[in-house]
Amino acid sequence: MKPAAFELFQPETVDDALKVLAEYQDADIKLLAGGQSLIPMMNFRVAQPEFLVDLGRITELRGVEEKDEFISIRPMTRHADVKAHPLVARHLPLVREAYEHVAHATIRNRGTLGGNLAHADPASEMPCVMVALDAKFVLRSKTATRSLPAREFFFGPFTTAIEPDELLAEIQVPKAQAGDRFAFEEVSLRKGDFAISSVAACIGLEGGVCHSAGIAIGGVAGTPIHAEAAEAALVGGVLAPESIAQAAAAILATIEFDGTATISAEYRHDLTRTLFVRAITRASLVGGR
Ligand SMILES: Cc1cc2nc3c(=O)[nH]c(=O)nc-3n(C[C@H](O)[C@H](O)[C@H](O)COP(=O)(O)OP(=O)(O)OC[C@H]3O[C@@H](n4cnc5c(N)ncnc54)[C@H](O)[C@@H]3O)c2cc1C
C-alpha cells in the first residue's frame, strides 16, 4: 500500500514548523512524528493529507529535562528513550511502569510520546497515565503558547484540543512526591496490544491514610476517564479491601460500558473492577518510592 501524493515540509526549527501550520491551517495538513500511527493510516488511505510537516529534524523537540516541580518531556522523544531515561525512572515511576504495556520494541524505537498523545487512541496507555498524574501539555502556535491540563486535552477518540495551527510542544509531568505510591494495571489480548481496560493510579499515603489520589481508567470510553468519584471515595480514609471496593463501585457506576463483537460490556465492566482493585491494592502495599 502506498499513500496518496502529498507535499512534504521538513522544517529545522519549531518557529518554521509553526509558520507552515499557520499558512496552511485551512488545508488538510498533518504533522509527522514517528509515523507509527499516521503512516499506516496514510497507506490505508484513511488519512490523505495534502501537506505533511515532518518534525524529525527539529532537535529542540527532543529530550527530557528536570524542572523544580515536573519533568519536561519534549514531544519528539521516542517511546524507547522516555522508557529508559534515568529522570523518568527516578521521578515518574508510573510512566516507567506503564511503558511495559506500550506496543513492541520496534514501534517504541520510532514512535514518540508526543505523537502518541496527539493521536489520542482511547485504548492507549500514556494518555491514561497523563490524566492520572494531572500532567500539563504546552501547545504552541505561531502567535501564542498555552498550557492545558491533560484532563482537558482529550475530547474523544483521536480528537484533542490541539487547534489546526498548533503543535504539542512540551509535556510536563509532576514529579512523584515522598509517600506517593503507583500502579498500572492492564489487560490486552496479546502483549503489546492496546488495552481492553487499564487503570493508572497514584496514591498519596501517610500512616495508612490516603491523603491524595490521581486515578484514570483507559480503554473503556472515547477518552481516558479521570476517576474523580473513586478519588473522592478514597481520600481521607484508610485503604482497606472494603474502601477500595466502594471506590471501585463509585466510579464504575458512572461509566457506560460498551461491548464489541468479541468483548462484552459485562466483561469489560468486571475486568475494570478487577484491575481497579488490583491497582489500588498493589499501590497501597508495595508501590511506594
Ligand atoms: C502494531 C502497533 C502496536 C501498537 N501498540 C500500541 C500500544 O499498545 N499502546 C500505545 O499507546 N500505542 C501503540 N501503538 C501506537 C504507537 O505508540 C505510536 O507510536 C503512537 O500512537 C503515535 O506516535 P508517532 O510518534 O508514531 O506519531 P505519528 O504516527 O507520526 O502521528 C500520530 C498523530 O499525532 C500527530 N502529531 C504527532 N506529533 C504531534 C505534535 N507534536 N503536535 C501535534 N500533533 C502531533 C500527527 O499529526 C498524527 O495525527 C502501536 C502501533 C503499532 C503500529
Side-chain angles (χ1 to χ4, degrees), residues 75-88:
M76 287 297 287
T77 314
R78 290 181 174 153
H79 291 310
D81 295 329
V82 181
K83 183 173 184 274
H85 204 286
L87 285 174
V88 172

Side-chain angles (χ1 to χ4, degrees), residues 15-33:
D15 285 346
D16 285 347
L18 293 174
K19 273 186 211 152
V20 176
L21 279 182
E23 188 175 342
Y24 292 94
Q25 60 181 295
D26 296 325
D28 191 351
I29 183 162
K30 281 267 178 209
L31 298 172
L32 176 66

Side-chain angles (χ1 to χ4, degrees), residues 30-40 55 75-76 79 101-104 107 110-116 118-119 123-126 162 166-169 192-194:
K30 281 267 178 209
L31 298 172
L32 176 66
Q36 298 303 293
S37 297
L38 183 57
I39 296 296
L55 302 178
M76 287 297 287
H79 291 310
H101 299 270
V102 176
H104 314 278
I107 288 149
R110 293 296 308 174
T112 66
L113 179 58
N116 181 277
H119 187 58
S124 186
E125 290 80 6
M126 285 304 137
I162 302 175
E166 285 181 321
L167 61 73
L168 174 59
D193 278 5
F194 287 96

Side-chain angles (χ1 to χ4, degrees), residues 6-82:
F6 55 85
E7 189 175 331
L8 180 67
F9 295 93
Q10 294 187 299
E12 302 206 351
T13 65
V14 172
D15 285 346
D16 285 347
L18 293 174
K19 273 186 211 152
V20 176
L21 279 182
E23 188 175 342
Y24 292 94
Q25 60 181 295
D26 296 325
D28 191 351
I29 183 162
K30 281 267 178 209
L31 298 172
L32 176 66
Q36 298 303 293
S37 297
L38 183 57
I39 296 296
M41 288 169 68
M42 288 172 62
N43 286 346
F44 282 113
R45 312 252 170 150
V46 176
Q48 299 193 30
E50 280 175 85
F51 303 100
L52 205 56
V53 185
D54 177 6
L55 302 178
R57 296 184 176 189
I58 308 180
T59 49
E60 63 194 294
L61 286 180
R62 288 186 199 281
V64 179
E65 216 181 322
E66 182 172 4
K67 304 284 182 181
D68 285 347
E69 303 283 321
F70 58 86
I71 298 298
S72 163
I73 307 176
R74 302 286 163 165
M76 287 297 287
T77 314
R78 290 181 174 153
H79 291 310
D81 295 329
V82 181

